Amino acid sequence: MSSTQNLFTIQFWGVRGSIACPGPETVRYGGNTPCIEMRVGGKRLIFDGGTGLRVLGQSMLSQMPVEAYMFFTHSHWDHIQGVPFFIPAFIKGNCFHIYGAPAPNGATIEKRLTDQMLHPNFPVPIRVMQADLKFNDLELGETVEIEDITVENALLNHPGEAVGYRVNWRGYSAAYITDTEHFADSLDTNVLRLARNADVMIYDATYTDEEYHSQGSSKVGWGHSTWQEAVKVAIAANVKKLVIFHHDPLHNDDFLDHVGEQASGQFPNTFMAREGQTIQLVGTPAQNLATVQETKVTV
Ligand SMILES: [Zn+2]
Ligand SMILES: [Zn+2]
């Protein structure tokens, strides 16, 4: 068995929420919108197709043919805009299993990704993609099995709905929980269930509590959470490593450094998601060791 078949790694290709924001102020954390790759026991899982998916696609070109399982949280722009620029999807011989829950209006993930590429908003229709695209509609609470990997989902509190995911493999687990807004009076039981005892929890911490409750520019009802709430969930769910994710486009590198310092003060095993970085789950699951490896994105 090759070494990759024994590994569980999580790589961040896009960590920014709402809209891509490249520029001198976001060099260190990155400006691409959500895309996370998990390599689990030799299988490739991709979560969301924000602009980070374009960069992931470039890195895959040297590995053709590829097969991947793509899970979408929802279809707000920041989570799907990389799809039309995902080059491996245009190449015959590749295979992508695409999963998403229907939107509240009944639109499937296939319809939403297709509509995104229609004239006059985009010049190339999805049918031009030559890879084998296998669309799957998820039911809320359904568990997807990919050999010995299981992927759970649960509904999140977000305008237009979103679903969070949890990946389990050989005793390891990682939860991907974005876009979601916490409740004022209690922790979200769906979030707690996805995060229970997870080795890694990636969580929507778009705002600080101060911004969220700001007089005059309150973010209540916008569908996102805060790093302070992330810490509460991480403690309540007995998470091993907390990853602060879906950074606000207005938060520059220095601001995010400060968020990281504050969050680590309350939950020491906190990690600020940064483009290009990889978390590798190592050791036996009982040892609960999740190390962060620095990797460089060269494409
Ligand atoms: Zn988002
Ligand atoms: Zn959203």
Side-chain angles (χ1 to χ4, degrees), residues 75-88:
S75 56
H76 282 163
W77 284 345
D78 52 325
H79 298 256
I80 62 169
Q81 278 190 318
V83 174
F85 298 91
F86 183 49
I87 300 300

Side-chain angles (χ1 to χ4, degrees), residues 18 74 78-79 179 224 246:
S18 305
H74 62 318
D78 52 325
H79 298 256
D179 297 25
H224 299 288
H246 203 277

Side-chain angles (χ1 to χ4, degrees), residues 121-143:
N121 292 322
F122 197 73
V124 182
I126 200 168
R127 60 179 161 75
V128 173
M129 290 180 162
Q130 291 297 301
D132 188 8
L133 306 182
K134 296 177 184 297
F135 288 95
N136 300 275
D137 293 325
L138 282 176
E139 286 181 30
L140 295 175
E142 174 185 357
T143 297

Side-chain angles (χ1 to χ4, degrees), residues 12-89:
F12 296 87
W13 295 94
V15 301
R16 191 66 58 168
S18 305
I19 191 166
C21 56
E25 295 279 288
T26 57
V27 168
R28 286 189 286 114
Y29 288 90
N32 279 307
T33 61
C35 181
I36 288 176
E37 179 188 23
M38 296 192 194
R39 304 293 286 266
V40 187
K43 295 266 185 263
R44 191 193 298 260
L45 281 60
I46 299 169
F47 292 87
D48 280 331
T51 61
L53 180 65
R54 183 190 66 80
V55 192
L56 168 58
Q58 293 297 117
S59 81
M60 292 166 82
L61 292 179
S62 61
Q63 304 161 40
M64 302 285 127
V66 289
E67 180 178 31
Y69 299 80
M70 304 178 73
F71 293 84
F72 287 86
T73 56
H74 62 318
S75 56
H76 282 163
W77 284 345
D78 52 325
H79 298 256
I80 62 169
Q81 278 190 318
V83 174
F85 298 91
F86 183 49
I87 300 300

